[in-house]
Amino acid sequence: MPKLGVNIDHIATVRQARRTTEPDPVWAAALAELGGADAITVHLREDRRHIQDRDVRILRETVRVKLNLEMSIADEIVDFALDVLPDQCTLVPEKREEVTTEGGLDVVGQLDRVRRCVDRLQEAGIETSLFIDPDEKQIEASDSLNVHAVELHTGQYADATDAETQTRELDLLFEAGEEVRRRNMLLLMGHGLTYRNVEPIVEIPEVYELNIGHSIVSRAVLVGFERAVREMKALLNPSITFLSEE
Ligand code: PXP
């Protein structure tokens, strides 16, 4: 069974909508650990749209499972990672205008830049993972950099709107996963996974860990919404007793 890395970026998205202090991703990380998360993932984007430097620094002190920092290969961010020392860094492509990470990192096309970044992180003892498309050339290039792991981008699979495309994308992930394991890198996967589409991914042999964020945060908001309203209603009118409490 794969381990579960929980991405808590969108807890910070809600906080940043008001530039206030709640909800605090540090609290969310603790609750995720209580729920069984094997890793906590945060993406410190160059534009700091959700996770802030402060979050990563505090999480470094509080997270008891693996802390995985998703990041671009920009020097400023690499310097930050070397200062904070997360357990793992996942290198992703980053464009300012994108809503979320759109494709895998082009390791083939910028091999020297990625190598410099990987070397700096690995020399500091940080395990490094590359977020790539399920593509043989990208896997081969990643292997040439001696990275600890690769995370295969499941976005194309998740976005498939018909069964045929979904099966094709799943087959690609199976094949790419086999290649990653043949090369003795740890096999991680993520992006766009939900409560409805995750099960076939779990069947992929030797997939070590899945990184899931948006779907868990979305469900948390709705699963907790009714209780949150009840609690506010009770504050407004303490004499109200709800059926569930009788
Ligand atoms: N893995 C990587 C590399 C990502 O960039 C993201 C999104 O930040 C995820 C996993 C999680 O994706 P989602 O939020 O769609 O579950």
Side-chain angles (χ1 to χ4, degrees), residues 172-197:
L172 277 178
L173 289 166
F174 264 85
E175 282 164 29
E178 207 172 286
E179 182 63 16
V180 171
R181 288 303 302 138
R182 202 181 62 72
R183 292 172 178 274
N184 277 323
M185 292 179 284
L186 216 53
L187 174 61
L188 319 178
M189 295 195 182
H191 210 284
L193 297 179
T194 69
Y195 294 82
R196 292 193 191 282
N197 68 18

Side-chain angles (χ1 to χ4, degrees), residues 5-10 41-43 45 50 68 70-71 90-93 98-103 129-132 151-155 158 189-194 210-217:
V6 177
N7 180 315
I8 55 173
D9 290 347
H10 295 307
T41 297
V42 288
H43 184 174
R45 295 187 74 103
H50 38 51
N68 173 34
E70 251 185 57
M71 51 184 263
T90 300
L91 304 184
V92 301
E98 70 193 355
V99 174
T100 181
T101 315
E102 279 169 358
S129 173
L130 304 179
F131 180 59
I132 56 171
E151 179 175 337
L152 296 180
H153 191 341
T154 50
M189 295 195 182
H191 210 284
L193 297 179
T194 69
L210 302 178
N211 265 309
I212 307 182
H214 186 264
S215 187
I216 292 177
V217 174

Side-chain angles (χ1 to χ4, degrees), residues 230-242 245:
R230 281 183 192 281
E231 289 175 359
M232 184 58 80
K233 183 86 174 171
L235 270 183
L236 268 47
N237 191 343
S239 67
I240 291 180
T241 48
F242 291 102
E245 290 165 359

